[in-house]
Amino acid sequence: MIIWRGEGQLVENFYSSSCPNVESIVQQAVSTKFSQTFTTIPATLRLFFHDCFVEGCDGSIMISSPNSDAEKDAQDNLSLAGDGFDTVIKAKQAVEQACPGKVSCADILAIAARDVVVLAGGPSFNVELGRRDGLISQASLVAGNLPEPTFNLNQLSTIFAKNNLSQNDMIALSGAHTVGFSHCSRFSNRLYSFSSSSPVDPSLNPTYAQQLEAGCPQNVDPSIAVDLDPVTPQTFDNVYYQNLVAGKGLLASDQVLYTDPTSQPTIVDFANNPGDFNGAFIAAMRKLGRVGVKTGNDGQIRTDCTAFNS
């Protein structure tokens, strides 16, 4: 009997016989890492997104190269926090002890991304599984495939559409900025050099702009970071969208979602209806998890997430 599998050929119960406890093993490892540092949450979520947008959700972001030319070494990925990589590595080690050679790093990252959302108070959802680990990880393949903090709505929608994600999916996934932080250099132009007529971006709430200027003076240490959600930075909620309505989006690519009349109604909906946001976020995360996946005999099941099998 042939069981027809949907797009991407992923199924929720992929490991039901080969590694039945994989999700609880990963969850335990993620929970332990989270007890050590909150950064586990935004770092792991962002790692999943960056993995999926380059070569698909195939664990290619995890590869370490002695020549510093792997995907993780690209300019756009240098700010990925080490805690995300460590979360996946620790989870993989625990899974290998129980089910050696069965579960891909790509799937472990997908499970961990769901687990951190739940740990931060966000919605739970079932993760589709069956991804294989990719065989390509090159820094040169990253440029142009990740959204930039300066993108407008059209640019954001275009880069998400390349990955089969709708504008609604893009707005919902942007809600991941309810946790995490950004470095001053990614938004300082909104404070000091927005335009010749206005150094400060007029879409910035003036009080918020003053707070940002205090936290990010010109020529500040580049390692200084600022919360993406200044109100509830450690809770996965819909306050990110309420902040946009109030002019408190940190990145230009956040605030544009409200200032552009095309997307504004969705922002208002998510700001007022957490259930609408949670539902859209779950649907978008499941779609994101199908991007460019390798299944069947493609790719491999890495033993060590940071290295291709020899």
Side-chain angles (χ1 to χ4, degrees):
M1 173 179 140
I2 296 169
I3 299 169
W4 177 251
R5 292 191 184 145
E7 196 256 335
Q9 298 191 298
L10 303 179
V11 288
E12 289 173 15
N13 64 350
F14 187 83
Y15 297 106
S16 56
S17 54
S18 60
C19 193
N21 297 324
V22 60
E23 291 188 63
S24 59
I25 297 168
V26 172
Q27 203 278 327
Q28 181 58 56
V30 173
S31 192
T32 299
K33 177 72 183 174
F34 169 61
S35 70
Q36 294 159 0
T37 172
F38 179 83
T39 308
T40 303
I41 287 174
T44 305
L45 195 50
R46 185 169 179 233
L47 192 64
F48 179 58
F49 176 68
H50 280 232
D51 184 36
C52 292
F53 263 43
V54 181
E55 293 288 303
C57 311
D58 67 346
S60 52
I61 191 70
M62 297 295 302
I63 293 291
S64 289
S65 159
N67 311 317
S68 296
D69 59 358
E71 201 174 299
K72 68 183 285 190
D73 300 308
Q75 189 64 41
D76 277 345
N77 284 330
L78 293 177
S79 63
L80 288 167
D83 290 312
F85 294 96
D86 192 53
T87 299
V88 177
I89 290 165
K90 294 280 200 323
K92 173 65 169 173
Q93 288 168 347
V95 171
E96 282 301 298
Q97 287 198 304
C99 328
K102 297 294 186 196
V103 183
S104 66
C105 300
D107 275 348
I108 288 172
L109 177 52
I111 296 167
R114 182 268 316 271
D115 291 344
V116 295
V117 170
V118 175
L119 281 169
S124 190
F125 54 94
N126 293 338
V127 178
E128 296 176 322
L129 300 166
R131 298 166 192 80
R132 310 251 309 166
D133 293 322
L135 300 171
I136 296 170
S137 179
Q138 291 175 2
S140 59
L141 298 174
V142 174
N145 288 312
L146 291 165
E148 296 292 336
T150 52
F151 274 10
N152 63 30
L153 184 69
N154 193 32
Q155 292 170 306
L156 290 167
S157 299
T158 300
I159 205 165
F160 277 74
K162 276 205 313 189
N163 295 287
N164 206 25
L165 294 159
S166 68
Q167 184 169 288
N168 209 53
D169 295 327
M170 180 272 291
I171 295 169
L173 291 171
S174 296
H177 288 175
T178 177
V179 290
F181 49 86
S182 181
H183 296 277
C184 295
S185 61
R186 307 299 272 169
F187 57 85
S188 58
N189 65 305
R190 300 186 69 206
L191 302 173
Y192 303 112
S193 56
F194 186 71
S195 70
S196 52
S197 57
S198 168
V200 179
D201 184 339
S203 69
L204 260 181
N205 174 299
T207 311
Y208 182 51
Q210 286 180 323
Q211 291 167 347
L212 292 177
E213 286 167 2
C216 285
Q218 285 179 285
N219 306 315
V220 70
D221 175 343
S223 66
I224 298 292
V226 174
D227 290 326
L228 285 155
D229 173 355
V231 182
T232 58
Q234 298 202 338
T235 309
F236 193 99
D237 54 25
N238 67 327
V239 173
Y240 165 82
Y241 300 100
Q242 297 171 9
N243 294 339
L244 299 186
V245 174
K248 296 181 180 178
L250 184 62
L251 307 176
S253 55
D254 292 317
Q255 194 58 47
V256 74
L257 301 178
Y258 180 74
T259 49
D260 192 306
T262 315
S263 46
Q264 187 175 85
T266 307
I267 301 302
V268 173
D269 173 37
F270 290 173
N272 292 327
N273 301 290
D276 288 1
F277 163 54
N278 286 344
F281 182 78
I282 290 168
M285 281 291 281
R286 285 168 60 95
K287 276 175 75 175
L288 174 62
R290 297 175 192 137
V291 173
V293 295
K294 285 89 184 156
T295 57
N297 294 319
D298 285 352
Q300 62 184 197
I301 306 295
R302 268 180 237 148
T303 309
D304 168 359
C305 288
T306 67
F308 300 120
N309 295 347
S310 50

